[in-house]
Amino acid sequence: MLSATAGANLLIYLGHGNGSPSPYSGGQDTHNGLGLNASASGSNTNVRYYGETYVAKDIHLAPNAVVILNHLCYASGNNEWDKGNPTRSVAIQRVDNYGQGFLHAGAAAVFAEGITDPGYILADLFRTNLSMTDIFWASPNATHSYAISFTSRDTTGAKALMDPYAANRYYRSVIGRLTVTAAAWR
């Protein structure tokens, strides 16, 4: 996996998520990264989490890389299924924390789409000169109704946007250097 990410300008991950804050122990070694199967046994019972510590240290993305996290728990601020909804404060912490390792690995932006199709991100990266902010708001699922923006407390220069579709329903976010354009990414 590490050789496949070396110098990549696009990293798309669909899989298990384990973020912070959460009810699970492990800290930065297991939270805010990738949940990968330890072996190719054809089962999801052998997941090993490589958290923010490993992502920041071992993954070396191209400058201005984009990361797309799709269908995983925690990354967009959400909870696990059937665990209720997080508070606004917890959701913001999760987006900030989940983005850190990838931003330190070289990403300009980390998009998280918890339940929707991220295809619009790819289309806009390849076909437009929009900024990461404008790409985020170009989603066919954008609502703006409960929009949240904040400056990262842990990653210098990083800004974040969240677009809950209802109060406490956190399934879309982006964090990073959001003025970077698709042209700069290409």
Side-chain angles (χ1 to χ4, degrees):
M1 200 269 314
L2 292 179
S3 63
T5 62
N9 71 342
L10 180 63
L11 173 62
I12 302 173
Y13 172 70
L14 294 86
H16 298 285
N18 184 14
S20 62
S22 82
Y24 306 107
S25 63
Q28 293 177 331
D29 286 347
T30 60
H31 294 158
N32 310 316
L34 309 170
L36 304 174
N37 288 349
S39 65
S41 68
S43 167
N44 284 328
T45 61
N46 62 8
V47 176
R48 175 165 178 211
Y49 289 96
Y50 297 88
E52 169 188 336
T53 302
Y54 297 104
V55 170
K57 181 176 69 105
D58 296 332
I59 293 178
H60 306 287
L61 299 169
N64 294 328
V66 169
V67 174
I68 301 172
L69 306 172
N70 190 226
H71 289 287
L72 56 152
C73 300
Y74 299 101
S76 60
N78 60 327
N79 271 348
E80 294 173 65
W81 298 114
D82 298 327
K83 300 287 185 185
N85 297 320
T87 65
R88 176 185 168 111
S89 172
V90 165
I92 287 170
Q93 289 175 67
R94 287 177 176 166
V95 170
D96 198 6
N97 293 337
Y98 226 107
Q100 279 186 64
F102 296 102
L103 296 174
H104 289 280
V110 180
F111 289 86
E113 292 284 341
I115 59 174
T116 54
D117 182 348
Y120 74 95
I121 301 167
L122 295 172
D124 286 346
L125 284 172
F126 286 102
R127 297 181 185 148
T128 75
N129 291 327
L130 294 174
S131 69
M132 298 300 136
T133 294
D134 293 335
I135 290 172
F136 180 75
W137 289 121
S139 167
N141 297 301
T143 66
H144 299 266
S145 300
Y146 300 92
I148 300 167
S149 64
F150 66 92
T151 299
S152 173
R153 68 186 160 90
D154 296 314
T155 306
T156 303
K159 307 268 186 210
L161 298 169
M162 298 169 66
D163 185 32
Y165 71 85
N168 297 327
R169 305 295 278 178
Y170 305 100
Y171 293 112
R172 296 188 61 246
S173 69
V174 64
I175 186 167
R177 292 178 288 116
L178 303 183
T179 57
V180 170
T181 64
W185 170 79
R186 284 192 303 276

